[in-house]
Amino acid sequence: METEGQNCRMGSYIYRPKKTKKVFERIRGASVIHILSHTLYFLSLYLSLYLFSDQVRVFPILERVDSAMISDSIPKASISMASSTPKNLPKKKRANRSAKVKQNKLVARRGQFISQVKNKIGCKDEANGEGGLHGGASVHPENERGQAMEKLEINPRGEEEIYGDGSPMNHYSDSESSPLNSPTSHTSSVLGSNGSGVQFTASSRSGSSSGRSSSSSSNGCCSEIMSEDDEEDDCLDDWEALADALAATEKKEEVHNPESEFDSPPEKHGIGSQSSGVVINPEIGGMAVKRDPELCRAWSPDDAFRPQSLPNLSKQYSFPLISERQLSRGGPVWGCKNVGGTVPTSCPICCEDLDCTDSSFLPCLCGFRLCLFCHKRILEQDARCPGCRKQYDRDDSIEKEATLDGGSLTIRLARSCSMITRS
Amino acid sequence: MNQASRARLFKEYKEVQREKVADPDIQLVCDEANIFKWTALVKGPSETPFEGGVFQLAFSVPDQYPLQPPQVKFLTKIFHPNVHFKTGEICLDILKNAWSPAWTLQSVCRAIIALMAHPEPDSPLNCDSGNLLRSGDIRGYQSMARMYTRLAAMPKKG
C-alpha cells in the first residue's frame, strides 16, 4: 500500500522535479509534527470515546483500505495510522456504518472514474492513431498511455478528495498553498503533508451528516485537533484555498512546464482539445466527470476524438437530402430526359416537378419514376409501368421492395454526388 | 386532366423547339390555335422505297394524353402494309395497346419512321401491300411503295 502510494506520488510529480524536492522536504519536516498530532488526537479520542469499547474489528481494516484508497499517505503517515489502529477500536458503530457507506461510494466512484479514464485513453489513442495528423503521433500514444496509467492511479484520489473537481493537482496545490491560507501553522503543515486527508475530511463532512465521527474514521484526523469552532471556517478556508490553488497552479503549470507542453503536441496542434500531459490533468480530472454523459454514449458525430475510419453515420443519413438538393439544383442541366439511374426533377408523364415523396417513390423495378398522381392515374387505367410496360404489381409488398431498392439507389447516387462536392 | 395534358404538350413543344436541329428527319409542328392538334413532317428513311419522300402526319391528342396515346394518321398517301391506304390510319402497337405515357409525339414520329423501314405484314391495314410482302414479292412491294412515294410524298417537279 505504501509503495503504491509513493508510486502514485512520484507519478504525479514526475514532470516537476523541483517541486517534488520541496514537497518531500516539507513532508520530512512535517512528519514529526504529524506524528505528534496524531498521537495527541488519538489520545483525546481514546479518552472521549472510551465507553464505546465494543468496536467491531472490521473498522480498522476499512480504515486502512480508506487510507490506501486515498493513497496520498506517505509511508510515515500510514505507519502512524497502522500504529494508531488499536487506539481507534473504541468508536461508535454508527461511524462504522457511515464509513462503510462512504467506502462503498468511494469504490463505486473510483470504478466509474477509472472506466471513464480508460474510455478517454482509448479515444485518444484511437484518435491519435487514426488521425496521424501530427508527426509526433507515433511517439505520443505510448507517452500518453503511461501518463494515463498514472492518472488511473492518481485521478481517483482526486475524485475522492473533491467531488467532481478532483485532480492530481489538487492535493499538490493544496500542499503548496494551504500553509499560506490556513491559520494554524501547526495543522497547516500537517495539511501540507497530508493534504488529501484533509480534503477528504472536508468532503466527507459536507457529504455525510455524521460529520465528526465519519471524518474521524478517515485518516484526515488532523483536522480533528482543531477546535469545533474553527472547523467550519477551516473547511471553508480549505475549499477557498483549494480554489485559489487550483487557479494558481494551473497558471503555474502553463508557465513552468514547457516539457509537459512539449509532451502533448495535440494540444498545440489543436486536434485533441484535451490531450495528455500534466497540463491537462486537471482538465481530465474535471472534464471527465462533466463529460460523463457523452462518454457513456458512442462517438458523437462531431467528436474530435472520433476515429476517421469509422463510417460517418450522420453523413449517410443526410445522403438522400443532399441528393435531392443536388439534383434539384442540377436539374435543368441534366434535363428530364436523363434516362440513367438519375432521378428526374419533373414527372415525365405530367411534367410537374417531383417533390421529395415523388423522388423517393419507385413503383417499378425498372427504375422508371413518376409522380404519385400519375401513378395513381395509371393504376386506374391499364396499370402498366410507362417505362417497361410491365403490369404494375398491385401488391404493396413489391412496391415497398421497389421503394427500398430505390432508396438504396438514391443513397448510392447521393454518395457519388457528395463525393464530387467534397473533392 | 386537361391541364395535365396541356402542360405535358407544352413541355413537348418546348422540347421540340430545342431538338428541331437535332433530328432533321422529323419536323413536328403544333397547331397555332389548338395545342391538341399537331402535324409532323417526316422524311422517308433511306434505303427504303420511301426514301426522298416527305410524309405528313396528323396528330390528334386526346385529353387524357399522355395516358392515352395520340391518334396519328398519314395525311400523305403511302403504300405500306400497316397504313390504311385511304384513311392513313396507322397500325402500330405503340399507338394502341403498347402505348406508354413515357412516349412523346416526337418518339411516336420516330416509331413511325421505324415502321416505314420495317413493315409488319402480319397485321396489315393495307392488304395489297401485306400480301406482296407475305408472298415474298419484295421487289413488287418496293416498286409500288416507291411509286406512291414519288407520286404523293415528293415535291412536284417543275
Side-chain angles (χ1 to χ4, degrees):
Chain A
M1 280 189 233
E2 288 84 9
T3 48
E4 190 190 343
Q6 209 162 12
N7 280 341
C8 295
R9 184 162 273 268
M10 289 306 289
S12 66
Y13 293 141
I14 202 156
Y15 288 104
R16 284 172 289 176
K18 286 178 187 176
K19 286 179 183 176
T20 315
K21 273 181 197 170
K22 270 188 197 171
V23 171
F24 276 124
E25 278 169 20
R26 191 173 292 152
I27 288 164
R28 231 174 285 137
S31 57
V32 179
I33 305 164
H34 185 210
I35 292 165
L36 273 174
S37 70
H38 264 272
T39 43
L40 239 167
Y41 162 66
F42 282 123
L43 272 174
S44 63
L45 252 185
Y46 184 77
L47 285 171
S48 61
L49 300 173
Y50 183 70
L51 288 173
F52 302 92
S53 55
D54 52 345
Q55 173 64 19
V56 188
R57 292 289 295 183
V58 182
F59 184 69
I61 299 164
L62 261 180
E63 185 179 276
R64 204 179 288 178
V65 172
D66 227 347
S67 68
M69 285 289 295
I70 288 157
S71 80
D72 199 34
S73 52
I74 54 169
K76 281 176 188 173
S78 53
I79 286 164
S80 72
M81 283 301 302
S83 66
S84 69
T85 41
K87 291 175 188 174
N88 277 341
L89 286 179
K91 276 193 178 176
K92 289 179 187 175
K93 262 196 170 176
R94 197 174 50 151
N96 186 17
R97 220 179 298 132
S98 67
K100 268 186 182 174
V101 169
K102 200 169 56 188
Q103 180 68 21
N104 287 337
K105 274 186 190 171
L106 290 175
V107 168
R109 198 170 288 121
R110 187 166 191 259
Q112 187 190 356
F113 189 83
I114 285 174
S115 67
Q116 281 173 9
V117 172
K118 273 180 185 168
N119 275 344
K120 200 132 196 163
I121 293 161
C123 306
K124 267 187 270 168
D125 281 352
E126 276 183 49
N128 284 328
E130 290 296 332
L133 291 170
H134 47 83
S138 56
V139 187
H140 188 62
E142 293 168 12
N143 228 345
E144 196 172 62
R145 199 171 295 211
Q147 286 171 10
M149 286 313 289
E150 287 164 18
K151 275 177 233 150
L152 274 186
E153 296 298 324
I154 294 155
N155 282 342
R157 214 190 317 147
E159 174 101 359
E160 283 152 17
E161 286 161 17
I162 307 148
Y163 292 83
D165 200 18
S167 72
M169 220 51 67
N170 288 345
H171 62 263
Y172 181 72
S173 63
D174 193 61
S175 67
E176 262 195 339
S177 57
S178 55
L180 303 170
N181 286 319
S182 50
T184 51
S185 64
H186 159 73
T187 44
S188 70
S189 63
V190 179
L191 279 171
S193 63
N194 205 2
S196 70
V198 172
Q199 287 178 24
F200 183 80
T201 314
S203 64
S204 69
R205 189 172 292 146
S206 64
S208 60
S209 59
S210 62
R212 186 170 177 179
S213 53
S214 71
S215 61
S216 67
S217 70
S218 72
N219 71 334
C221 43
C222 43
S223 65
E224 294 298 323
I225 284 172
M226 295 174 237
S227 63
E228 290 284 330
D229 297 332
D230 285 340
E231 271 183 11
E232 286 298 312
D233 294 337
D234 209 64
C235 281
L236 283 174
D237 275 357
D238 282 342
W239 284 103
E240 284 170 11
L242 172 75
D244 291 345
L246 251 182
T249 39
E250 272 177 14
K251 281 176 194 167
K252 273 184 205 165
E253 289 292 335
E254 282 167 13
V255 177
H256 288 299
N257 278 346
E259 72 266 43
S260 64
E261 278 181 22
F262 180 75
D263 271 333
S264 58
E267 202 202 15
K268 280 194 162 183
H269 289 268
I271 296 156
S273 57
Q274 303 151 11
S275 62
S276 76
V278 183
V279 180
I280 329 294
N281 274 348
E283 215 174 0
I284 282 167
M287 288 297 284
V289 180
K290 282 175 200 165
R291 287 167 59 99
D292 190 15
E294 282 181 25
L295 286 171
C296 291
R297 264 189 301 155
W299 299 100
S300 64
D302 52 342
D303 200 331
F305 295 119
R306 197 172 190 280
Q308 293 178 354
S309 63
L310 285 181
N312 207 336
L313 291 173
S314 63
K315 273 179 188 165
Q316 270 180 8
Y317 291 144
S318 66
F319 275 157
L321 296 173
I322 288 170
S323 80
E324 274 160 27
R325 249 183 290 139
Q326 288 250 334
L327 286 170
S328 62
R329 239 190 292 142
V333 182
W334 295 356
C336 120
K337 289 195 74 180
N338 223 335
V339 190
T342 55
V343 184
T345 50
S346 58
C347 172
I349 311 304
C350 64
C351 297
E352 298 290 332
D353 286 342
L354 291 177
D355 59 14
C356 299
T357 324
D358 294 332
S359 342
S360 57
F361 174 60
L362 194 77
C364 183
L365 289 170
C366 75
F368 187 85
R369 291 173 179 279
L370 72 170
C371 68
L372 288 162
F373 184 62
C374 289
H375 178 66
K376 185 178 165 292
R377 273 167 55 188
I378 288 171
L379 281 183
E380 284 167 358
Q381 297 200 1
D382 61 352
R384 285 182 310 171
C385 170
C388 60
R389 292 205 192 88
K390 277 180 196 149
Q391 201 79 18
Y392 273 136
D393 213 322
R394 286 165 195 265
D395 235 8
D396 280 342
S397 60
I398 299 288
E399 261 184 46
K400 273 175 194 166
E401 205 177 290
T403 316
L404 275 175
D405 208 54
S408 68
L409 181 80
T410 317
I411 286 170
R412 204 186 60 225
L413 287 169
R415 195 170 293 167
S416 61
C417 285
S418 67
M419 290 299 274
I420 289 163
T421 45
R422 245 187 282 166
S423 59
Chain B
M1 200 69 82
N2 199 334
Q3 282 303 316
S5 54
R6 198 178 285 274
R8 158 74 183 249
L9 284 171
F10 188 68
K11 183 88 182 288
E12 281 190 39
Y13 177 76
K14 286 197 288 186
E15 201 78 11
V16 161
Q17 298 302 316
R18 200 165 64 218
E19 288 187 7
K20 201 178 271 180
V21 187
D23 197 347
D25 290 345
I26 299 167
Q27 196 176 346
L28 198 57
V29 181
C30 176
D31 193 295
E32 285 176 9
N34 190 354
I35 203 174
F36 292 97
K37 299 288 179 192
W38 293 65
T39 51
L41 293 173
V42 295
K43 284 182 184 172
S46 58
E47 294 174 23
T48 63
F50 313 105
E51 187 176 3
V54 176
F55 299 86
Q56 194 175 14
L57 299 168
F59 286 80
S60 177
V61 183
D63 277 352
Q64 323 225 314
Y65 182 83
L67 298 187
Q68 293 290 315
Q71 294 168 357
V72 190
K73 62 178 183 180
F74 271 94
L75 292 180
T76 311
K77 212 162 272 293
I78 183 173
F79 187 78
H80 189 280
N82 304 114
V83 181
H84 198 280
F85 190 72
K86 285 184 176 162
T87 62
E89 183 192 343
I90 303 168
C91 178
L92 187 56
D93 56 349
I94 63 145
L95 294 176
K96 305 261 168 36
N97 50 9
W99 168 252
S100 157
W103 287 69
T104 62
L105 300 184
Q106 186 93 11
S107 58
V108 167
C109 290
R110 285 199 202 99
I112 288 170
I113 291 171
L115 179 72
M116 285 158 79
H118 302 280
E120 187 58 65
D122 287 332
S123 57
L125 276 176
N126 186 335
C127 292
D128 295 337
S129 171
N131 286 335
L132 278 173
L133 277 178
R134 276 201 286 193
S135 66
D137 190 358
I138 309 288
R139 190 172 174 179
Y141 160 75
Q142 285 185 343
S143 42
M144 283 291 283
R146 194 174 293 119
M147 187 190 76
Y148 278 107
T149 302
R150 206 165 280 183
L151 281 175
M154 282 192 185
K156 299 258 186 324
K157 285 175 186 171

